[in-house]
Amino acid sequence: MVVRPPGRRRPNRTRFVVMLVGLVVVGTGIVCGIHWLGHPWALALPGKPALTGYWQGDVPYGSGDERHIVLHLTDDPPSAHDRCTTCPALSGTATVCAGDRAERYELWGNPLNYLGSRFSLHTRSEAEGPGPRLNELHGEWEGDVMRVRTSLTRLDAAGATVGSDSPPTTFEMSRADEAAFDAACR
């Protein structure tokens, strides 16, 4: 028979498991809460959609040449151990439909203010060869509408810039879904 000192309780596994699960839930809530406080533009609430997600619109490439564009923006997910202060807060991909082909871009950048109503995204085209390429995207976001300003750079067959950048052009994008993103240019 085991003799316990007076006043000491017997270990209770159920109580231990409940406390452990409770601590994990509270810890996760604190980490996510801190993330959303730092990135309010990434949190969708009733009546207030997030900047992140799927968007679509038509970007003018010149006189009579409008091309459909879809993009998917994501934010850096919350993490208790990832403390990257120089990493971009926004990243994603874009697809521009050019006739029978699709030109894909890698996107990364940051909101320019706390609420994310203004942002800037860098672009890197996956396409090779001559043709126009999107430059950096500067945007303003409000609810389900995004206004984007960009210019185009023309490349020759060797990949060198031809002439100077086109004049800035502005276009609007609206909220889309994953199906529209996947079906772009088909």
Side-chain angles (χ1 to χ4, degrees):
M1 181 163 123
V2 178
V3 179
R4 286 185 177 59
R8 184 150 184 230
R9 292 190 291 196
R10 227 178 74 214
N12 184 335
R13 288 181 192 212
T14 306
R15 186 177 340 172
F16 174 76
V17 169
V18 168
M19 285 181 61
L20 182 63
V21 168
L23 284 173
V24 168
V25 168
V26 167
T28 302
I30 289 172
V31 168
C32 289
I34 290 171
H35 176 76
W36 299 132
L37 281 174
H39 301 97
W41 42 266
L43 179 62
L45 297 171
K48 186 198 162 293
L51 169 60
T52 55
Y54 295 93
W55 296 88
Q56 66 182 350
D58 294 307
V59 59
Y61 265 62
S63 180
D65 184 11
E66 282 204 356
R67 300 181 185 185
H68 191 66
I69 181 172
V70 292
L71 60 93
H72 179 218
L73 291 177
T74 59
D75 74 321
D76 187 29
S79 172
H81 55 71
D82 181 15
R83 303 276 188 237
C84 180
T85 57
T86 59
C87 295
L90 287 166
S91 60
T93 57
T95 303
V96 177
C97 304
D100 59 343
R101 68 187 203 326
E103 183 176 357
R104 302 204 190 304
Y105 288 86
E106 176 186 0
L107 306 172
W108 71 97
N110 291 297
L112 300 176
N113 58 15
Y114 177 70
L115 294 176
S117 61
R118 294 183 314 114
F119 61 90
S120 180
L121 297 171
H122 302 281
T123 62
R124 181 179 307 137
S125 176
E126 295 176 4
E128 294 182 12
R133 303 289 187 273
L134 289 176
N135 285 327
E136 192 169 271
L137 305 175
H138 300 279
E140 294 178 2
W141 160 68
E142 185 176 337
D144 287 328
V145 176
M146 182 187 295
R147 281 171 291 290
V148 180
R149 190 179 75 255
T150 190
S151 62
L152 302 171
T153 298
R154 297 203 178 276
L155 301 179
D156 64 13
T161 302
V162 177
S164 61
D165 291 350
S166 69
T169 183
T170 302
F171 61 99
E172 281 196 1
M173 299 186 81
S174 60
R175 185 76 55 192
D177 58 17
E178 187 174 5
F181 183 81
D182 293 339
C185 307
R186 289 188 189 168

